Amino acid sequence: MAKEPTSKSQIFLKKLSQMEQFTEAEQKHKIEEMDDVMKEMDRNDFFSLFTNGLFNKITKIIEENGLLIENLLLLLKRIGYLKVLKGILLYGFEESSLNKRIEKMIIEEEMKEEEKRNEKLLIDICECYFLLNEGIFSETLSICVPCLLKAALKKEEDEETQKEKEIALLALSHIDRHYFFRQELYLKEITEIIKHQQKHRNLTKLAYQSVWKFLINRFCTNNFLEDTIVNELHFGREAVRELEELTRRIDWKKKKEERRKETEEEIALKRWLDVINYFIPPCKLWNEELVELINSIVQLFRAAKDNHSVISNQCIYPLRNAAEKRNMKIEDLLKSGAIDAISEEMHRRTLNEGVAFECLQFFTTISRRLEEKKRDEMEEEQRKATKMEIFEKMEEEGYEDIIASFHGVISIRYKYNRELTLNNSDYFVNV
């Protein structure tokens, strides 16, 4: 009688429990095997496996000398790396004895005299700490941030160094965006990394995206970074370049059922869209590079909309946020195809409530802005012409019926913070 297949979680746990039986080299080999198992896990399995109990179990294995520290850090780095890429929140680590042990190791290594300090070990510990933790970090920030930036500033081109830089930058990008810390701790180094990449293009896609995510996360609590981000480092131009290159690398013709797991390009694209969405609301500066960024998001939406609803849905959020920007002209949204893109999304049969809400908010914002009077007569004429063009588009698409149908989904009005009006005329541009 054939045995039932063993789950990936059980395979992982079995290999972990056998660690004390192996030599240092054998442990490393087993960790490689465990890494392959984790890569194949879906989000639910991964989330269910890595609990407070499992991390406490790892602590016990260390205390019994069943797992060497270097191999422990190798294992934790693999767990943290995949956890961040899979977009999973694991609060079990924060509450575990292992987290306290890692924090203690960081402080103890930092306190050593410089000649006795193991820099490689400190980098590894800091990476594990940032990748596995969620939320705000403690006083270890002042130790870990400079340490990881130093690792990311290495100029060597070999594959191993590039991977080390990628993990260091990914760890930095995971620092909670609501946590404020001094520019002196990171700005000079981050600026150098971005400018070096713009000149040499030698970072991996994930590493470069992570640099920007780290910087935009700091912008969320520090508006003084705006000029550096927009005008010195040209975020809009760089984001356009990365979006367009990643878009070209993905086979958009693959059906959903054919996508066994996300590619590196798909993961990087989703992370870029998150970063852009964090950036737009607090941004007061606006230029042609950022207008072009909106155009690129529309093109990405069109590429993804048939067979990759996760990415196409993510495109809606920055477009809706752009519509609310006073310095983003309605005419630019119209020319970019953003209005057509939102219209197409609202026709989707499987449209979820959250996206429906964002689409309706987009048109409410457009209508409200076009109803505002302009002092300049030329601006007023342009406004009227734009209103007429948008109204004709909306009339052609049968918007009254579409909007009325969404009001039948009552939960939209209660699930989200901002209520939607039940007056259909509020979603139209009355000339």
Side-chain angles (χ1 to χ4, degrees):
M1 187 175 179
K3 291 183 178 179
E4 289 186 6
T6 308
S7 74
K8 294 179 178 63
S9 296
Q10 288 172 325
I11 294 171
F12 181 93
L13 290 170
K14 183 178 179 181
K15 291 181 183 296
L16 179 64
S17 65
Q18 294 172 338
M19 279 295 176
E20 61 186 15
Q21 303 172 18
F22 301 121
T23 64
E24 180 179 1
E26 288 171 336
Q27 283 186 359
K28 286 183 179 178
H29 178 69
K30 290 297 176 184
I31 289 170
E32 293 291 338
E33 292 179 354
M34 293 161 79
D35 186 46
D36 291 336
V37 173
M38 289 189 290
K39 287 175 182 176
E40 295 300 318
M41 287 182 187
D42 62 27
R43 288 167 52 89
N44 290 334
D45 284 345
F46 201 97
F47 178 80
S48 300
L49 176 61
F50 294 104
T51 60
N52 176 273
L54 179 64
F55 288 118
N56 287 334
K57 182 177 180 179
I58 293 174
T59 304
K60 188 176 179 182
I61 294 173
I62 301 164
E63 290 170 348
E64 294 173 352
N65 298 317
L67 185 61
L68 298 172
I69 291 299
E70 288 77 7
N71 288 339
L72 162 71
L73 297 175
L74 176 61
L75 175 60
L76 293 182
K77 256 204 287 193
R78 298 295 175 85
I79 296 170
Y81 182 82
L82 290 172
K83 167 230 158 189
V84 173
L85 291 193
K86 289 174 185 284
I88 300 170
L89 301 178
L90 295 179
Y91 292 101
F93 180 77
E94 288 183 43
E95 302 160 357
S96 70
S97 56
L98 186 56
N99 186 27
K100 294 181 178 62
R101 190 182 186 100
I102 293 292
E103 279 188 347
K104 185 180 177 184
M105 287 171 65
I106 291 172
I107 294 167
E108 286 177 349
E109 196 63 36
E110 172 64 17
M111 288 177 66
K112 290 179 181 178
E113 295 178 11
E114 190 170 349
E115 61 273 12
K116 294 181 180 180
R117 191 181 304 151
N118 186 332
E119 188 174 289
K120 173 68 168 62
L121 179 65
L122 184 58
I123 290 170
D124 287 342
I125 304 169
C126 292
E127 287 172 347
C128 293
Y129 185 72
F130 279 178
L131 289 170
L132 287 167
N133 266 301
E134 312 293 350
I136 291 176
F137 302 93
S138 65
E139 68 277 3
T140 53
L141 273 171
S142 61
I143 301 172
C144 293
V145 170
C147 178
L148 295 181
L149 284 171
K150 187 175 181 181
L153 280 164
K154 291 180 179 178
K155 298 297 190 291
E156 290 84 354
E157 299 285 345
D158 61 282
E159 186 176 344
E160 184 178 349
T161 303
Q162 290 302 314
K163 192 65 179 179
E164 288 175 2
K165 289 162 71 172
E166 180 183 89
I167 295 175
L169 290 168
L170 185 68
L172 286 166
S173 75
H174 196 54
I175 300 174
D176 191 291
R177 70 179 185 272
H178 300 298
Y179 193 84
F180 175 83
F181 50 96
R182 295 176 294 105
Q183 289 184 23
E184 291 80 3
L185 204 59
Y186 63 87
L187 188 56
K188 177 177 177 294
E189 291 82 0
I190 282 291
T191 300
E192 182 180 339
I193 291 169
I194 291 175
K195 288 185 174 180
H196 188 271
Q197 170 66 5
Q198 289 172 349
K199 184 176 181 181
H200 299 283
R201 301 294 175 188
N202 55 1
L203 288 177
T204 67
K205 289 292 179 188
L206 180 59
Y208 192 42
Q209 189 277 332
S210 295
V211 181
W212 278 110
K213 185 175 183 188
F214 172 83
L215 188 57
I216 299 299
N217 281 349
R218 310 286 67 77
F219 176 47
C220 291
T221 55
N222 188 347
N223 290 332
F224 293 108
L225 291 172
E226 187 167 33
D227 185 61
T228 299
I229 291 169
V230 175
N231 295 322
E232 182 182 350
L233 299 177
H234 301 281
F235 173 71
R237 181 193 69 195
E238 293 299 296
V240 166
R241 183 186 182 282
E242 293 297 308
L243 286 183
E244 291 181 350
E245 188 169 332
L246 288 165
T247 300
R248 288 194 297 270
R249 290 187 181 190
I250 294 174
D251 181 1
W252 297 107
K253 294 180 180 179
K254 273 189 178 180
K255 301 293 183 184
K256 183 178 180 180
E257 53 272 18
E258 296 175 323
R259 297 180 187 277
R260 190 170 62 88
K261 62 180 181 179
E262 289 184 315
T263 64
E264 291 181 9
E265 289 79 12
E266 289 168 334
I267 290 168
L269 263 179
K270 289 167 61 179
R271 287 168 59 82
W272 268 110
L273 288 169
D274 280 340
V275 169
I276 292 165
N277 202 41
Y278 295 154
F279 169 76
I280 290 176
C283 179
K284 294 181 176 63
L285 297 174
W286 207 259
N287 58 22
E288 286 303 314
E289 291 178 356
L290 295 175
V291 172
E292 187 57 37
L293 177 56
I294 299 303
N295 296 344
S296 291
I297 294 171
V298 172
Q299 296 310 310
L300 174 57
F301 166 82
R302 295 198 184 286
K305 70 185 181 73
D306 291 332
N307 294 320
H308 210 308
S309 60
V310 173
I311 288 179
S312 66
N313 285 347
Q314 270 191 271
C315 293
I316 302 300
Y317 300 99
L319 295 180
R320 198 271 293 164
N321 282 331
E324 292 188 345
K325 304 301 294 181
R326 293 288 169 176
N327 42 8
M328 178 70 184
K329 295 179 181 178
I330 302 296
E331 292 88 338
D332 288 330
L333 287 171
L334 189 60
K335 291 174 185 175
S336 72
I339 290 172
D340 288 331
I342 303 292
S343 168
E344 291 166 16
E345 186 68 7
M346 290 182 72
H347 281 79
R348 190 192 295 274
R349 291 181 181 179
T350 56
L351 185 63
N352 68 54
E353 288 183 7
V355 175
F357 176 85
E358 296 296 330
C359 291
L360 292 174
Q361 281 286 350
F362 176 88
F363 283 110
T364 303
T365 301
I366 295 290
S367 288
R368 186 182 68 245
R369 288 186 60 189
L370 286 172
E371 286 301 314
E372 296 170 354
K373 298 294 182 184
K374 303 292 182 185
R375 293 180 182 178
D376 185 273
E377 289 185 8
M378 289 183 65
E379 283 191 14
E380 179 64 13
E381 287 302 311
Q382 178 64 54
R383 180 180 71 89
K384 286 182 178 180
T386 303
K387 284 177 68 175
M388 178 63 76
E389 187 172 351
I390 293 174
F391 176 77
E392 289 173 354
K393 280 180 175 290
M394 296 168 83
E395 193 172 46
E396 288 171 8
E397 297 291 345
Y399 254 72
E400 191 163 355
D401 291 337
I402 294 173
I403 291 167
S405 71
F406 278 118
H407 286 311
V409 185
I410 300 299
S411 59
I412 287 181
R413 301 189 71 234
Y414 296 100
K415 186 173 179 181
Y416 301 95
N417 292 330
R418 291 170 292 182
E419 281 199 353
L420 295 172
T421 174
L422 287 175
N423 185 355
N424 283 11
S425 64
D426 289 344
Y427 298 92
F428 289 85
V429 183
N430 298 310
V431 181

